[in-house]
Amino acid sequence: MKTRFLISFVLIVIAVCMPGCKKKAPTPQEPESKPEVEVKETRLMSANEEPFGQTADGRQVTLYTLTNTNGLRARITNYGAILVSLEVPDRDGKLADITLGFEALDGYLKMDTYFGATVGRYANRIGKARFVLDGVEYKLAANNGENHLHGGIKGFDKVVWRPEDLWANDNEALLKMSYISEDDEEGYPGNLACTVTYTLTKDDELKISYEAETDKTTVVNLTNHSYFNLAGQGTGDILGHELTLNADKYTPVDEGLIPTGEIRSVKDSPMDFTLPMSIGSRIKQVGNGYDHNYVLNSGGGTLALAARVYEPTSGRVMEIYTTEPGVQLYTGNFLDGTLTGKGGKVYKKHYAFCLETQHFPDSPNKSDFPSVVLQPGQKYTSVTVHKFSTR
Ligand code: GLA
């Protein structure tokens, strides 16, 4: 019995000492450190900030980092409330940044692609840059031919948002920012007080929620314009990504990409993603690529699954849940290799896809589309969740 105990004791001592044996002997300058105990790295939810430069008019801008316990990391700046990067593990646990963008603020100050940006006051297009509300015609900035796109010349993507909250607890890490868009800004009526909140959860979700209130009847449609490539940003095109959209219908557009007003079935057309289909399988049949608003089967109003994207080489899956009635599928058709982004990556045509949850384009001029009108005393709310997993 005694001998058995002694052998066990010796074996334990050897096992405990072995890892230490690999350690190089301390040099005379290096004091002997405490015995090394193998500590398994445990990540905590965290929310941090650091300077990110300044705008042309001298305003200091910050870069915020939200990290979850599985290593997912979202970096956001309060310039344009832009999602700067989003690192997500593949099926082997290897992290990659899956959104297009720039390393420094400068790239964002110059861009016209809306990489990662919060878009408003009205995301997407308003035909002929005008609409009528309560019998009054409002003229907006025409920044896309004769049409208005993504809030105008200086939309919400080009303003400095005010940080309101930054914290992490055991379940989530959160950043909340606010912006007051003044009456007549880019031609819109009413002072609009908005907030956007990014929340990274322990369940690998990035939730983006918006709230807005006005002092005069106005229109609102806020979205996030992230460009995703689930294989890793800048690594190639997204034509092999497999997409499912919970949408039986879409809104056909004219040459200026303004909806005609028709709500058409996707059946028997290259627009159909009701079953998993690679993005590239029929893209040649839709001209320059997809740049269309899908009518979600949920009808909006409650948080429901809108889209699922699967990237076969990495195994990454992104699901999008939203309270919005529509989603714009845009396949990076205007990327042409002239932009160099993070890590020196050159962004070519179809190197990313966007799924911009939204109300339908040109709704202020389409009385049959779900209303985008916000009255004083009402609260605009919109929630979109990006949920990540692997297969
Ligand atoms: C949106 C539009 C596209 C394009 C991009 C930005 O998604 O629908 O037509 O303007 O933004 O380049």
Side-chain angles (χ1 to χ4, degrees):
M1 191 66 195
K2 254 191 183 166
T3 338
R4 261 229 235 126
F5 177 78
L6 200 69
I7 291 170
S8 307
F9 178 74
V10 170
L11 283 176
I12 289 169
V13 169
I14 290 171
V16 168
C17 290
M18 275 305 272
C21 297
K22 282 191 204 131
K23 223 182 113 195
K24 71 176 169 80
T27 60
Q29 293 90 334
E30 270 177 349
E32 174 83 271
S33 55
K34 284 190 207 132
E36 231 172 65
V37 184
E38 210 192 314
V39 180
K40 197 168 178 307
E41 198 197 335
T42 45
R43 293 194 190 93
L44 298 172
M45 305 289 298
S46 67
N48 299 307
E49 60 183 297
E50 64 193 278
F52 196 45
Q54 61 178 53
T55 60
D57 56 356
R59 297 191 60 186
Q60 297 299 325
V61 169
T62 305
L63 183 66
Y64 301 90
T65 304
L66 307 179
T67 311
N68 87 353
T69 37
N70 300 323
L72 272 82
R73 191 163 80 130
R75 293 191 308 152
I76 301 140
T77 173
N78 61 324
Y79 175 76
I82 292 171
L83 177 65
V84 170
S85 64
L86 183 59
E87 286 158 76
V88 171
D90 67 7
R91 61 164 77 87
D92 301 319
K94 197 166 159 254
L95 292 172
D97 181 1
I98 58 156
T99 63
L100 273 53
F102 303 101
E103 244 140 53
L105 178 64
D106 195 47
Y108 292 103
L109 297 177
K110 289 192 235 151
M111 76 169 173
D112 58 4
T113 45
Y114 305 90
F115 286 160
T118 295
V119 181
R121 181 180 304 202
Y122 196 93
N124 216 309
R125 291 174 176 78
I126 298 179
K128 300 206 166 57
R130 48 77 69 190
F131 62 93
V132 175
L133 208 50
D134 294 340
V136 181
E137 182 182 45
Y138 293 97
K139 289 201 165 71
L140 306 169
N143 61 328
N144 192 236
E146 58 172 2
N147 302 321
H148 177 84
L149 174 68
H150 291 331
I153 295 161
K154 192 175 180 186
F156 290 7
D157 58 298
K158 295 181 187 71
V159 301
V160 178
W161 290 65
R162 192 179 127 148
E164 297 286 350
D165 255 331
L166 177 70
W167 52 255
N169 63 19
D170 288 349
N171 298 316
E172 54 194 29
L174 176 147
L175 168 66
K176 182 177 183 178
M177 293 168 282
S178 68
Y179 175 63
I180 295 176
S181 167
E182 286 182 7
D183 186 23
D184 202 30
E185 191 178 286
E186 300 294 310
Y188 291 100
N191 292 296
L192 187 78
C194 315
T195 65
V196 55
T197 307
Y198 284 90
T199 312
L200 185 65
T201 73
K202 67 171 175 22
D203 300 322
D204 297 347
E205 298 156 324
L206 180 67
K207 178 165 126 188
I208 310 176
S209 3
Y210 310 87
E211 285 184 356
E213 283 177 288
T214 185
D215 59 2
K216 208 166 164 183
T217 307
T218 191
V219 295
V220 191
N221 188 31
L222 305 179
T223 196
N224 179 273
H225 207 307
S226 287
Y227 285 60
F228 294 99
N229 185 324
L230 300 186
Q233 67 93 23
T235 58
D237 68 52
I238 46 76
L239 301 180
H241 285 48
E242 195 180 279
L243 171 67
T244 318
L245 289 174
N246 201 357
D248 295 340
K249 298 184 180 118
Y250 74 107
T251 50
V253 285
D254 65 18
E255 323 72 59
L257 299 178
I258 301 296
T260 59
E262 187 194 349
I263 293 193
R264 192 186 290 172
S265 167
V266 296
K267 209 165 182 302
D268 302 324
S269 85
M271 302 303 294
D272 190 352
F273 285 98
T274 51
L275 293 174
M277 194 64 87
S278 72
I279 293 179
S281 57
R282 300 148 306 165
I283 200 167
K284 290 254 157 57
Q285 298 170 47
V286 280
N288 203 24
Y290 295 94
D291 197 351
H292 295 85
N293 170 63
Y294 281 81
V295 177
L296 294 170
N297 294 341
S298 68
T302 50
L303 196 65
L305 182 66
R308 180 180 294 117
V309 192
Y310 166 64
E311 199 286 303
T313 61
S314 65
R316 288 192 186 89
V317 177
M318 176 171 73
E319 285 179 332
I320 296 184
Y321 297 78
T322 188
T323 57
E324 287 299 310
V327 67
Q328 183 87 4
L329 169 62
Y330 170 61
T331 47
N333 313 330
F334 302 125
L335 298 176
D336 57 5
T338 52
L339 284 179
T340 301
K342 289 176 280 188
K345 296 285 198 301
V346 175
Y347 299 144
K348 299 185 192 153
K349 190 170 179 177
H350 304 321
Y351 262 40
F353 67 89
C354 303
L355 285 167
E356 303 151 62
T357 55
Q358 59 183 5
H359 270 60
F360 309 166
D362 203 31
S363 295
N365 293 310
K366 301 277 192 302
S367 53
D368 291 347
F369 287 177
S371 174
V372 288
V373 174
L374 184 72
Q375 309 278 3
Q378 293 179 331
K379 189 179 257 183
Y380 166 92
T381 59
S382 175
V383 179
T384 294
V385 175
H386 298 79
K387 183 163 175 61
F388 297 96
S389 58
T390 56
R391 241 198 250 164

